[in-house]
């Protein structure tokens, strides 16, 4: 049992829902969910009450002797300490400069595409833009020699390139993690066999559960051709390495449940749901494609509340940028500083959503990735984005600032024209954090009979 005068970490926030209490660390992504008894113990951790005084007050509150409540109070204090909510490490995690080790590179292998999607984020890039094969292989070698995490290959449509399969083959030999994103329409039997044989994850864009919706977004006949490619992958035994990716927009919001049903019925292992971003054609057509906050709230309520309780075989990954209930203390959820993006012409950017001239870090033809990662421009951008959670006024007073970290800076920049603001989804994230963490705690309590009778308390990094 702790001795002395226990003290909650500086800035710890308290939120209450019914008879459950959430304590949230002021500087780090740590939390604890407590019942009323546990909260009374935590409330007395003010740096003034000794252990014996806490025992006396809790005992008196429940008409018990101090000795009768000693075990329960000891368990509560131990778990508050385990959760990192007692004073000790109160400061925000130290800023770490970006390094090439652990880098995740997003490479647009081709500038052109065989479709013309209404929301294309890279529209305007020359269809002829393509890095020479030897430059692409050199990039892969540089990643491998630096122990980078891996590479995500996209486009345009990467499978348009004649050398795409050979590039993927080389990458899988040199790197631990290789992912390819495609619209699926160019996958024939030979290509399906190669992709499955390489053992890499494949993400196929599917923006509707029916031809009418998908083809409205991606062009006539796209749904049929995409499913032809998906079926070839499934027939070849891709198993759990295949995921469908839907970009949410006004035209397909209503089909989210149907898409999940379709994936499960066809034997697809995963579905990823992403918000639309104000990039490329989507920015031009925002008035007809953009989703309102209320519409997003309904969709994410379904994805985060109902889908996890449905016991589905398909794994649904709902991407709400800034909602990171399993955020790491050592690395922010945002990959800025741990990712680079290279467009089809070779220009290097800090992020695949910050591919604008002011964020250009050089070109791979004359700039090594290591140089780009060491750029003062990138370092300043990372420092600015790290500072957002304590600089933006509404973030400073928000209990969840160390979790969402001010939301996605790129999304905010596109939406508000500045990094020093938040997006319009803050209220959704705040509610989902409370709901999700309380749900995690209750499931843990159910899995550990006896624990929840006196207190529910969990360090975030042990939750799954």
């Amino acid at each position: 049992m702790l001795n002395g005068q226990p003290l909650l970490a500086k800035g710890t926030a308290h939120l209450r829902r019914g008879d459950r209490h959430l304590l949230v660390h002021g500087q780090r992504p740590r939390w604890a969910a407590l019942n009323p008894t546990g909260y009374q113990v935590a409330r007395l951790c003010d740096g003034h009450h000794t252990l014996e005084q806490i025992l006396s007050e809790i005992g008196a509150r429940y008409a018990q002797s101090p000795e009768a409540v000693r075990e329960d109070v000891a368990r509560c204090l131990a778990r508050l300490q385990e959760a990192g909510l007692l004073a000790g490490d109160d400061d925000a995690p130290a800023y770490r400069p970006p390094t090439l080790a652990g880098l995740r590179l997003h490479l647009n292998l081709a500038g052109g595409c065989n479709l013309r999607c209404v929301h294309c984020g890279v529209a305007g890039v020359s269809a002829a833009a393509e890095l020479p094969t030897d430059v692409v292989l050199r990039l892969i070698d540089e990643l491998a020699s630096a122990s980078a995490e891996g590479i995500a290959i996209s486009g345009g449509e990467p499978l348009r390139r004649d050398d795409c399969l050979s590039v993927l083959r080389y990458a899988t030999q040199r790197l631990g993690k290789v992912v390819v994103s495609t619209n699926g329409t160019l996958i024939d039997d030979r290509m399906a066999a190669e992709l499955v044989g390489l053992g890499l994850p494949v993400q196929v864009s599917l923006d509707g559960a029916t031809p009418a919706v998908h083809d409205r977004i991606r062009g006539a006949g796209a749904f049929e051709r995409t499913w032809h490619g998906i079926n070839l992958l499934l027939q070849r035994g891709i198993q759990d390495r295949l995921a469908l990716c839907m970009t949410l927009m006004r035209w397909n919001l209503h089909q989210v449940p149907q898409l999940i049903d379709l994936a499960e019925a066809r034997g697809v292992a995963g579905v990823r749901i992403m918000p639309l971003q104000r990039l490329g054609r989507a920015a031009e057509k925002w008035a007809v494609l953009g989703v309102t906050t209320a519409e997003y709230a309904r969709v994410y309520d379904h994805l985060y509340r109902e889908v996890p309780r449905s016991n589905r075989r398909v794994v649904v990954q709902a991407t709400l940028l800034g909602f990171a209930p399993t955020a790491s203390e050592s690395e922010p959820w945002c990959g800025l500083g741990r990712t680079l993006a290279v467009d089809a012409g070779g220009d290097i950017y800090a992020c695949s959503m910050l591919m604008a001239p002011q964020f250009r870090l050089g070109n791979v033809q004359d700039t090594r990735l290591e140089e780009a990662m060491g750029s003062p421009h990138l370092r300043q951008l990372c420092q600015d984005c790290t500072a957002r959670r304590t600089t933006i006024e509404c973030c400073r007073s928000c209990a969840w600032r160390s979790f969402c970290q001010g939301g996605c800076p790129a999304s905010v920049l596109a939406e508000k024209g500045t990094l020093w603001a938040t997006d319009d989804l803050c209220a959704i994230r705040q509610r989902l954090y409370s709901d999700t963490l309380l749900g995690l705690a209750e499931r843990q309590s159910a899995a550990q009979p006896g624990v929840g009778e006196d207190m529910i308390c969990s360090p975030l990094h042990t939750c799954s």
Side-chain angles (χ1 to χ4, degrees):
M1 181 182 288
L2 293 172
N3 294 312
Q5 298 167 312
L7 175 66
L8 284 178
K10 180 176 60 180
T12 296
H14 169 229
L15 300 92
R16 180 176 180 178
R17 179 168 300 179
D19 64 351
R20 293 299 181 192
H21 300 260
L22 274 173
L23 297 183
V24 184
H25 197 288
Q27 300 292 339
R28 294 175 177 269
R30 301 171 179 170
W31 61 278
L34 302 90
N35 66 16
T37 305
Y39 175 64
Q40 291 303 322
V41 174
R43 190 178 61 83
L44 294 171
C45 295
D46 56 6
H48 301 296
H49 283 76
T50 65
L51 175 59
E52 293 306 318
Q53 288 172 329
I54 293 174
L55 290 171
S56 179
E57 288 207 24
I58 294 297
R61 185 178 186 89
Y62 295 100
Q64 300 285 328
S65 69
E67 284 306 310
V69 300
R70 184 177 292 273
E71 183 179 347
D72 289 342
V73 170
R75 186 163 59 218
C76 179
L77 291 173
R79 288 191 179 151
L80 284 172
Q81 186 174 48
E82 181 188 358
L85 284 171
L86 293 182
D89 191 10
D90 290 354
D91 296 329
Y95 168 75
R96 297 194 307 171
T99 63
L100 197 55
L103 172 72
R104 300 192 293 270
L105 181 68
H106 184 113
L107 174 63
N108 287 353
L109 196 59
C113 183
N114 60 313
L115 301 181
R116 187 174 174 80
C117 304
V118 296
H119 63 302
C120 179
V122 295
V125 177
S126 170
E130 278 190 10
L131 285 172
T133 304
D134 64 313
V135 175
V136 175
L137 300 185
R138 192 191 73 214
L139 280 176
I140 293 170
D141 286 338
E142 187 176 357
L143 292 171
S145 63
S147 300
E149 180 178 312
I151 188 170
I153 291 179
S154 184
E157 173 48 53
L159 299 185
R160 291 181 79 238
R161 280 186 62 139
D162 293 337
D163 65 350
C164 181
L165 290 174
S166 62
V167 167
L168 291 172
R169 192 177 305 114
Y170 188 77
T172 56
Q173 293 167 354
R174 300 282 284 138
L175 299 170
K177 185 174 182 179
V178 182
V179 181
V180 61
S181 297
T182 172
N183 62 41
T185 61
L186 300 180
I187 298 176
D188 57 20
D189 194 58
R190 181 187 69 84
M191 189 172 291
E194 287 265 12
L195 289 172
V196 173
L198 288 173
L200 49 75
V202 178
Q203 178 175 283
V204 179
S205 298
L206 193 73
D207 289 318
T210 60
V213 172
H214 183 77
D215 291 359
R216 183 185 184 193
I217 295 168
R218 291 185 170 258
F223 186 86
E224 182 179 350
R225 285 180 286 151
T226 295
W227 268 107
H228 177 71
I230 292 171
N231 286 331
L232 290 174
L233 293 172
L234 292 170
Q235 290 166 13
R236 288 284 183 173
I238 196 167
Q239 298 174 326
D240 60 353
R241 299 191 307 276
L242 176 65
L244 306 182
C245 181
M246 171 189 264
T247 300
L248 293 174
M249 62 193 82
R250 191 170 299 167
W251 294 354
N252 64 10
L253 276 178
H254 62 288
Q255 288 207 328
V256 169
Q258 289 174 257
L259 186 79
I260 297 171
D261 289 343
L262 179 63
E264 186 164 43
R266 298 287 186 93
V268 176
V271 172
R272 185 182 180 197
I273 309 291
M274 300 177 59
L276 183 68
Q277 299 297 331
R278 294 177 189 252
L279 303 173
R281 292 195 194 108
E284 300 169 7
K285 297 178 178 291
W286 195 260
V288 295
L289 298 179
V291 181
T292 68
T293 302
E295 289 169 333
Y296 269 135
R298 287 193 293 272
V299 172
Y300 284 115
D301 276 349
H302 174 76
L303 291 171
Y304 284 108
R305 291 181 176 182
E306 297 177 35
V307 171
R309 294 195 293 262
S310 60
N311 297 318
R312 291 179 175 275
R313 294 187 303 275
V314 62
V315 176
V316 180
Q317 179 187 356
T319 303
L320 173 57
L321 298 175
F323 181 63
T326 54
S328 166
E329 289 205 36
S330 60
E331 294 184 343
W333 71 265
C334 174
L336 193 67
R338 303 189 309 282
T339 64
L340 288 178
V342 175
D343 71 12
D347 283 340
I348 308 169
Y349 298 94
C351 167
S352 59
M353 289 173 55
L354 291 173
M355 299 176 83
Q358 65 267 39
F359 301 111
R360 184 179 180 274
L361 303 173
N363 188 286
V364 294
Q365 301 277 19
D366 51 36
T367 304
R368 291 180 59 82
L369 297 177
E370 187 174 12
E371 294 176 59
M373 291 295 280
S375 159
H377 184 35
L378 177 59
R379 182 177 296 227
Q380 184 61 55
L381 180 61
C382 291
Q383 288 176 328
D384 287 345
C385 290
T386 300
R388 292 174 67 246
R389 73 189 81 169
T390 55
T391 304
I392 299 169
E393 184 176 356
C394 64
C395 291
R396 286 200 302 268
S397 60
C398 178
W400 304 111
R401 62 182 177 273
S402 295
F403 289 80
C404 85
Q405 299 145 24
C408 170
S411 293
V412 170
L413 184 65
E415 183 179 314
K416 303 289 179 66
T418 177
L419 291 174
W420 306 107
T422 61
D423 61 25
D424 292 332
L425 302 179
C426 279
I428 298 174
R429 284 194 293 265
Q430 289 173 22
R431 179 166 46 78
L432 284 172
Y433 271 121
S434 296
D435 292 349
T436 301
L437 298 188
L438 282 169
L440 282 171
E442 288 167 1
R443 287 195 295 275
Q444 287 187 340
S445 176
Q448 303 175 61
V451 172
E453 294 172 6
D454 300 298
M455 191 199 76
I456 303 171
C457 178
S458 297
L460 183 66
H461 62 269
T462 66
C463 296
S464 59

